[in-house]
Amino acid sequence: MPNSNPDVRQIVIGTAGHVDHGKTALIRALTGVDTDRLAEEKRRGISIDLGFAHYTSPNGINASFVDVPGHEHFIKNMLAGAGGIEAVLLVVAADEGVKPQTREHFEICRLLGVKRGIIAVTKIDLASQEQIDNTQTQIDALRAESFLQKAPIVLVSALSGRGMSALVQALEQLCCTQTFTDRGSLVRLPIDRGFALKGFGTVVTGTLWGGELRTGDSVELQPLGVEARIRGLQIHGQPVTSAKQGQRTAVNLSGVEPTAIQRGLILTKPKQLLPTKRLQIAVEWLSGVELPTRREDLLLHIGTSEIAAHLKVLNGAFVECELESAAIALPGDRIILRRPTPAETIGGGTILDPFPAKQLNRFQTIKRLESLLAGGMETRLPLLVEEQSNGCTVESLVWKTGYSEDSLRGLIRASTNLLLTADDEHVVSQAWLNARRQQLVDFLTAFHAQNPSTPGAPLAQARLGLNLTLSNTIFQGFSAVRINGDLVCLNSHRAEIPPEELAQLGRIEQEFRKAGFQPSAPMDLLKRAAVPASKERGLLERLIKEGRLIRVSSSLVFHRDVLDHVRTSLAQQKGRRFSISEFKDWTQISRKYAIPLLEYLDYQRLTRRDGDCRVVL
Ligand SMILES: Nc1nc2c(ncn2[C@@H]2O[C@H](COP(=O)(O)OP(=O)(O)O)[C@@H](O)[C@H]2O)c(=O)[nH]1
Ligand SMILES: [Mg+2]
């Protein structure tokens, strides 16, 4: 029966060290598992690909070992394994001492941010005391002031078993003080193996970087964008119902062919993270390598993937990488940079921005990266929001920061300079809101100056080109403006109508009222009202906007009182049928006007057309 995966103490440990120094033999001596599975590995006597073994100590501590190849040709595979480890078992043969890949693997672990480890000086059965002392001296020089400075050094022989109990003790110690590298709460499982299992279908394995996986969950294979479902989970060969951050996990997937799987893909929650092809990185170059000066084609390793990247040096501390194929990357992720020819690791770094701001010059880019490097989310969040002209969605911040929507909303609510829109989906800065409100005040001030006698500006115009969510955020709770129907005005605005204009408006209304059901063309009525020709149209439109006059069709305008009269008369005769000629008799309206008026009444749902007749609703 699958268990619910109680929080057993467990850790993922990677081997590291020069080829032939005894990594695989040590893992075999410890776990009984020969991680050199491939025929070619057997034939050549060296590890080529990653090997996996798990180990339960006498005290019940579970360690997942990732055994990496030491040969310089297979650093790519070593990197795929090292991306998911918590601690390193650095293996140095006592008779050979520190060699190039001892150094390279050590540097890679350091650059990947591995925090702890154990150093095994192995093959002591083959070495003299002098050799052992020399090796220890070299190790001390290598690890000085590094994460391994205080790591235990254990002298062992995988052949004779000498020192193995001290190694077990050191492992127990390591697990007791274990803390997971926090890579955020979002589900990410960089895949290091994918295969078909008879009767099960597709299985992928990897270290779960963040979040939790449960059987039945939907997942997405990124950057392919293929969705699948979790049929089953295994940890240490045991079926479980959930897997948590930091655990080496085997995932049985349905809905995806084994052939679609390759190392380097990453399992995420569907539609949560977005692949990117541009990264800005705080870089650290290894000493003794030839540094890239301006631009160079390199290989970038992230998670379990290796991607060709075009590197642009911004300054000594920052680079930008244009990736040949997209990757899932989040701020804080560690990467390794390698030169393809001659093959060498030249540095590594921390991703500062997986979706760099565009249209910045080099100076601005560097300044921006400096603040991202120096600050935490309290710097990053306002920066990301404010560099967009109208804020951004909470959803987009998930793939830009690696924080869940819920934690982002929490941070936004707690911040003094950011706020959520009413629907909780969008975030803007207080500075943006202030600026937009000022813009609205400026707009209304100008509008009122030009139209002193108009009660307000049409809302559609005052939305300043923003969508409803954003413009409502500006209007809501803003005491300087007042909304009335579909008009908005400054709170201080009182429509003032000059007496002369008031008289003109009155005369126009009078003409339309007089015309009743027989209105002449609106322009003729305006002439009769004797208003200055230049103002005719404006005054007419204003009366229509204010609802004093009602436009029934393009050339037919009635006074509101006339239509109110129709409305009240109809209200008393619900259900009655009448013909067009009856309607004409009743209103004395000409046939030319009757049809558009009836259509207007239909549209207003006062009447309904029924053959040649109308029914009062
Ligand atoms: N005498 C002796 N030989 C060892 C010891 N550990 C490994 N070897 C041998 O060294 C060779 C390389 O070991 P292996 O574990 O494959 O090295 P790796 O490349 O670091 O994985 C093999 O022939 C092993 O049998 C040891 O402690 N003592
Ligand atoms: Mg090996």
Side-chain angles (χ1 to χ4, degrees):
M1 273 297 286
N3 65 48
S4 61
N5 186 24
D7 244 336
V8 284
R9 284 181 297 165
Q10 48 189 322
I11 187 167
V12 181
I13 304 172
T15 59
H18 200 70
V19 63
D20 257 354
H21 273 205
K23 297 179 289 301
T24 303
L26 200 55
I27 296 302
R28 189 171 50 225
L30 203 58
T31 67
V33 177
D34 183 3
T35 58
D36 282 351
R37 301 158 293 126
L38 304 176
E40 193 186 350
E41 289 177 324
K42 296 268 179 253
R43 186 166 47 78
R44 291 171 65 179
I46 60 166
S47 310
I48 293 170
D49 205 350
L50 299 173
F52 302 93
H54 51 87
Y55 171 67
T56 307
S57 80
N59 285 344
I61 280 165
N62 284 299
S64 302
F65 281 103
V66 181
D67 184 31
V68 307
H71 197 284
E72 58 177 323
H73 288 172
F74 307 121
I75 290 280
K76 170 182 171 173
N77 294 341
M78 179 273 170
L79 277 158
I85 65 174
E86 278 297 311
V88 61
L89 176 62
L90 182 65
V91 177
V92 189
D95 56 337
E96 290 204 357
V98 169
K99 302 289 264 186
Q101 271 65 54
T102 317
R103 206 173 289 282
E104 187 170 14
H105 286 195
F106 164 77
E107 294 289 11
I108 285 171
C109 290
R110 188 176 64 77
L111 290 169
L112 286 176
V114 176
K115 290 282 178 303
R116 288 155 330 114
I118 298 169
I119 299 166
V121 172
T122 187
K123 300 197 192 183
I124 50 167
D125 56 297
L126 293 181
S128 66
Q129 189 58 45
E130 198 191 342
Q131 282 177 312
I132 296 176
D133 292 345
N134 270 341
T135 297
Q136 294 218 46
T137 310
Q138 290 170 9
I139 289 171
D140 282 338
L142 177 72
R143 68 173 176 163
E145 284 169 43
S146 80
F147 71 106
L148 287 182
Q149 190 174 16
K150 295 212 168 77
I153 296 185
V154 191
L155 306 184
V156 289
S157 164
L159 194 76
S160 72
R162 240 179 81 199
M164 289 306 287
S165 58
L167 180 61
V168 168
Q169 251 178 31
L171 283 169
E172 300 256 357
Q173 198 61 37
L174 189 74
C175 296
C176 284
T177 54
Q178 161 217 355
T179 48
F180 289 132
T181 305
D182 189 12
R183 291 187 172 103
S185 63
L186 300 187
V187 165
R188 284 195 294 165
L189 182 131
I191 292 170
D192 48 40
R193 271 184 310 173
F195 46 87
L197 204 61
K198 232 183 153 75
F200 287 93
T202 307
V203 175
V204 300
T205 67
T207 304
L208 185 54
W209 272 15
E212 186 176 4
L213 287 178
R214 298 180 158 278
T215 47
D217 281 357
S218 292
V219 287
E220 184 170 4
L221 282 160
Q222 290 273 30
L224 291 182
V226 171
E227 278 198 32
R229 220 176 56 83
I230 300 183
R231 273 175 61 180
L233 291 166
Q234 280 198 1
I235 291 170
H236 290 172
Q238 298 301 312
V240 291
T241 51
S242 73
K244 294 197 178 71
Q245 169 174 9
Q247 293 182 317
R248 263 207 71 76
T249 312
V251 190
N252 180 200
L253 296 172
S254 63
V256 59
E257 288 301 314
T259 48
I261 308 291
Q262 68 214 32
R263 175 174 289 168
L265 291 177
I266 179 163
L267 213 62
T268 64
K269 281 277 156 74
K271 309 204 175 6
Q272 196 171 49
L273 293 172
L274 212 63
T276 177
K277 287 182 116 176
R278 244 172 106 229
L279 302 171
Q280 284 176 345
I281 297 162
V283 77
E284 183 190 334
W285 303 116
L286 292 183
S287 57
V289 298
E290 190 194 324
L291 299 187
T293 46
R294 284 203 51 72
R295 286 168 179 276
E296 193 174 331
D297 289 326
L298 296 173
L299 294 170
L300 179 139
H301 291 260
I302 177 166
T304 53
S305 67
E306 177 194 74
I307 303 170
H310 184 67
L311 176 104
K312 187 168 105 190
V313 176
L314 296 169
N315 67 5
F318 304 125
V319 297
E320 183 172 302
C321 283
E322 200 79 54
L323 306 183
E324 204 155 88
S325 60
I328 292 289
L330 292 174
D333 285 351
R334 301 293 187 119
I335 58 99
I336 297 290
L337 291 168
R338 291 186 39 90
R339 189 171 270 143
T341 38
E344 60 173 344
T345 303
I346 58 170
T350 304
I351 294 179
L352 287 179
D353 197 347
F355 294 92
K358 297 196 177 102
Q359 281 132 8
L360 296 184
N361 63 32
R362 199 162 94 139
F363 175 74
Q364 293 165 321
T365 302
I366 290 168
K367 278 213 75 87
R368 182 176 178 279
L369 291 175
E370 275 166 355
S371 46
L372 286 178
L373 181 65
M377 274 296 267
E378 72 290 346
T379 309
R380 181 176 295 268
L381 215 46
L383 191 145
L384 291 178
V385 173
E386 279 171 15
E387 67 193 7
Q388 304 294 320
S389 49
N390 293 312
C392 58
T393 59
V394 177
E395 190 186 18
S396 73
L397 288 172
V398 173
W399 34 267
K400 287 180 181 174
T401 64
Y403 280 61
S404 70
E405 288 201 20
D406 283 349
S407 26
L408 285 167
R409 288 197 180 92
L411 291 172
I412 294 162
R413 288 202 183 93
S415 93
T416 48
N417 49 6
L418 297 178
L419 47 115
L420 287 163
T421 53
D423 60 4
D424 268 4
E425 297 295 345
H426 213 95
V427 48
V428 294
S429 71
Q430 192 65 49
W432 177 89
L433 184 67
N434 295 345
R436 288 301 186 142
R437 282 184 168 167
Q438 187 54 51
Q439 206 182 337
L440 176 65
V441 167
D442 293 346
F443 166 79
L444 289 176
T445 308
F447 184 91
H448 293 324
Q450 271 169 23
N451 312 278
S453 53
T454 308
L459 254 183
Q461 220 174 316
R463 291 195 188 279
L464 310 170
L466 297 172
N467 68 26
L468 278 183
T469 310
L470 289 176
S471 59
N472 286 344
T473 305
I474 295 171
F475 292 129
Q476 275 157 20
F478 186 29
S479 58
V481 303
R482 184 156 39 92
I483 295 180
N484 200 348
D486 53 4
L487 294 182
V488 54
C489 66
L490 287 176
N491 217 358
S492 54
H493 176 71
R494 295 281 173 276
E496 42 166 276
I497 307 183
E500 160 195 289
E501 201 168 301
L502 210 55
Q504 291 163 350
L505 288 167
R507 289 207 296 281
I508 297 173
E509 268 201 75
Q510 188 54 29
E511 287 303 328
F512 277 88
R513 206 182 279 115
K514 245 171 36 196
F517 284 114
Q518 282 83 34
S520 319
M523 287 332 261
D524 294 344
L525 290 175
L526 286 169
K527 291 269 158 344
R528 259 185 247 162
V531 294
S534 65
K535 294 183 72 182
E536 280 173 349
R537 276 194 178 278
L539 292 170
L540 175 72
E541 288 308 320
R542 200 159 116 210
L543 286 166
I544 289 171
K545 201 174 281 169
E546 286 172 13
R548 306 296 304 157
L549 301 182
I550 288 160
R551 181 179 273 135
V552 163
S553 75
S554 59
S555 58
L556 187 57
V557 176
F558 289 101
H559 194 275
R560 182 168 92 184
D561 293 351
V562 178
L563 290 186
D564 279 350
H565 172 66
V566 176
R567 205 182 289 268
T568 34
S569 309
L570 289 176
Q572 288 158 13
Q573 311 193 40
K574 283 198 191 306
R576 190 183 146 185
R577 272 170 71 92
F578 61 87
S579 66
I580 294 180
S581 52
E582 276 174 283
F583 185 64
K584 276 170 55 195
D585 290 346
W586 172 48
T587 56
Q588 295 297 307
I589 198 168
S590 72
R591 186 174 180 88
K592 182 166 111 191
Y593 292 150
I595 302 290
L597 180 54
L598 281 168
E599 277 168 2
Y600 172 81
L601 296 176
D602 291 345
Y603 181 72
Q604 295 285 315
R605 302 198 177 281
L606 294 169
T607 56
R608 175 170 58 80
R609 192 172 169 173
D610 184 12
D612 284 342
C613 290
R614 287 300 192 288
V615 178
V616 181
L617 292 176

